[in-house]
Amino acid sequence: MISHYLRPALLVSHRHPAVMIGIAVVCCFVISAWLGSEILSPVTMWHTLNNPDSVMRTLILQWRIPRVLTTFCVGACLGMAGVIFQGVFRNPLAEPHLLGSASGASVGAAIALMMPALFPGPFFLPIMAFAGAWLTTLLVVSLARVARVESGFGLILAGVAIAALLAAVRGLIMLTLSDDAVSLQVILSWTLGGIQTPTWQEFFLFMLLTIIGFILCLRLARGLDILGLGSDTARNMGLDVTRFMHRSVLIAAAVTALAVVWGGLIGFIGLVIPHMIRWWLGPRHHRLMIYSALASGAALMVFDGVARSIMPPAEIPLGLLTALLGAPFFLFILTKEARR
């Protein structure tokens, strides 16, 4: 009986995935905008938004909505980076957090935040985050090659080791460079994962950078499909494998840095969501890139809404909530790959 009622929805999900993803994104946006330290009923929210003199209306339009949209862009960046890393390294466990890219970006961002005299202006933060993410990813790949590690598990272990080292470096930087001018608590909460609430102008800048990153990531789809056939086959088909991998890692590091600058360290979104989309729609990277970006942004919006609602007026670090979902999923995939 249940399967009889679910069959139309399943047919729509397979034949028209864009419809399903679009509905999910809209629903997640509404839910995230509704959640918060003060949860309003739908009727109350409607009257609030239609009252130009309401303080709550100003808070929703000037604070909550930009944050929700920023959360979507952060999730989209993490989803795209996860697809690229998994495709380049042909490893289902690869993602920005596990390969150390996010940790490298956080070290670069922490240096920029803790040393404002050396890095004045708002542009040094994303530049330092990008440099940290890119250098860390290249370091992990280089160590794996020097050690002649060819398995995906060896690459993941190298990434986890480097990420642990960078976490210690970041902690040392925070302890030694913090002073009255720089709040250690603010930096610590940012490293645990937390969306930075922007102004509308800052959001539009972030959205523009996210769109540019999305276009660059989408242009890698065909190369990732070819690379999935194996390095030798890809070379025979005319793909410069080394150059393509370096370019892909560079772009993945850039979108990871964007996510870290505005969202801190948020793990496992780039691992879980691309896996689910791959199981649903298959391995073709053009659709996988688009739907992973949309689904990752939608999922992170809900997580952020929950983080703002559980313990008002305080917020639970967003990275802790995503870890509650991602860690068991990672162990499941790890066990599955080990058996294979």
Side-chain angles (χ1 to χ4, degrees):
M1 180 65 69
I2 295 178
S3 63
H4 173 74
Y5 290 105
L6 289 179
R7 190 177 294 114
L10 293 175
L11 289 175
V12 171
S13 68
H14 284 285
R15 294 179 180 177
H16 305 285
V19 175
M20 298 297 294
I21 292 292
I23 294 174
V25 170
V26 173
C27 291
C28 291
F29 172 80
V30 173
I31 292 172
S32 182
W34 172 61
L35 293 173
S37 58
E38 183 177 352
I39 301 178
L40 304 177
S41 67
V43 176
T44 304
M45 176 169 283
W46 175 258
H47 289 301
T48 299
L49 293 177
N50 285 280
N51 182 9
D53 298 326
S54 173
V55 177
M56 189 64 186
R57 178 181 184 270
T58 303
L59 291 176
I60 292 175
L61 295 180
Q62 299 298 326
W63 183 87
R64 189 176 293 185
I65 298 300
R67 171 161 177 165
V68 170
L69 295 174
T70 300
T71 304
F72 175 81
C73 291
V74 170
C77 288
L78 293 174
M80 292 185 293
V83 170
I84 294 175
F85 281 131
Q86 291 171 15
V88 167
F89 301 121
R90 284 163 285 173
N91 184 352
L93 299 175
E95 68 111 19
H97 196 75
L98 294 177
L99 286 178
S101 299
S103 296
S106 69
V107 170
I111 293 175
L113 289 171
M114 304 298 286
M115 303 176 67
L118 295 179
F119 302 99
F123 296 104
F124 279 100
L125 181 60
I127 292 174
M128 291 294 291
F130 166 71
W134 185 46
L135 292 175
T136 301
T137 305
L138 292 183
L139 177 61
V140 171
V141 175
S142 300
L143 288 176
R145 288 179 178 175
V146 170
R148 296 182 180 180
V149 174
E150 298 180 356
S151 67
F153 292 103
L155 185 66
I156 293 298
L157 290 176
V160 170
I162 295 298
L165 176 62
L166 291 176
V169 172
R170 184 180 65 246
L172 183 62
I173 292 174
M174 293 167 57
L175 290 175
T176 55
L177 297 181
S178 62
D179 52 25
D180 295 336
V182 181
S183 175
L184 183 60
Q185 184 177 0
V186 172
I187 303 297
L188 182 60
S189 63
W190 175 76
T191 59
L192 292 176
I195 303 299
Q196 308 300 309
T197 304
T199 63
W200 278 108
Q201 291 79 8
E202 293 171 341
F203 163 71
F204 285 127
L205 174 61
F206 183 32
M207 182 183 67
L208 176 62
L209 294 176
T210 302
I211 292 174
I212 294 174
F214 174 74
I215 295 173
L216 295 176
C217 291
L218 204 58
R219 295 182 63 180
L220 300 174
R222 183 176 179 275
L224 292 173
D225 288 338
I226 297 175
L227 189 62
L229 302 175
S231 298
D232 294 335
T233 304
R235 291 189 182 94
N236 292 333
M237 296 180 66
L239 182 68
D240 189 339
V241 174
T242 302
R243 183 177 179 181
F244 176 78
M245 290 181 66
H246 287 170
R247 184 169 71 251
S248 300
V249 167
L250 185 68
I251 294 174
V255 294
T256 299
L258 280 178
V260 170
V261 168
W262 267 276
L265 290 179
I266 302 173
F268 296 107
I269 287 292
L271 170 69
V272 174
I273 304 301
H275 258 293
M276 292 182 174
I277 301 299
R278 193 187 303 271
W279 288 341
W280 177 27
L281 298 177
R284 295 296 298 271
H285 283 86
H286 190 273
R287 292 208 306 176
L288 183 61
M289 192 76 69
I290 295 174
Y291 294 131
S292 292
L294 294 175
S296 298
L300 199 62
M301 284 193 294
V302 175
F303 275 110
D304 184 59
V306 173
R308 290 184 275 113
S309 305
I310 293 180
M311 298 176 59
E315 293 185 14
I316 295 179
L318 186 55
L320 299 184
L321 287 183
T322 59
L324 292 177
L325 169 68
F329 189 89
F330 172 75
L331 294 176
F332 169 73
I333 298 298
L334 184 65
T335 304
K336 183 179 178 181
E337 291 297 315
R339 289 177 179 176
R340 182 181 300 177

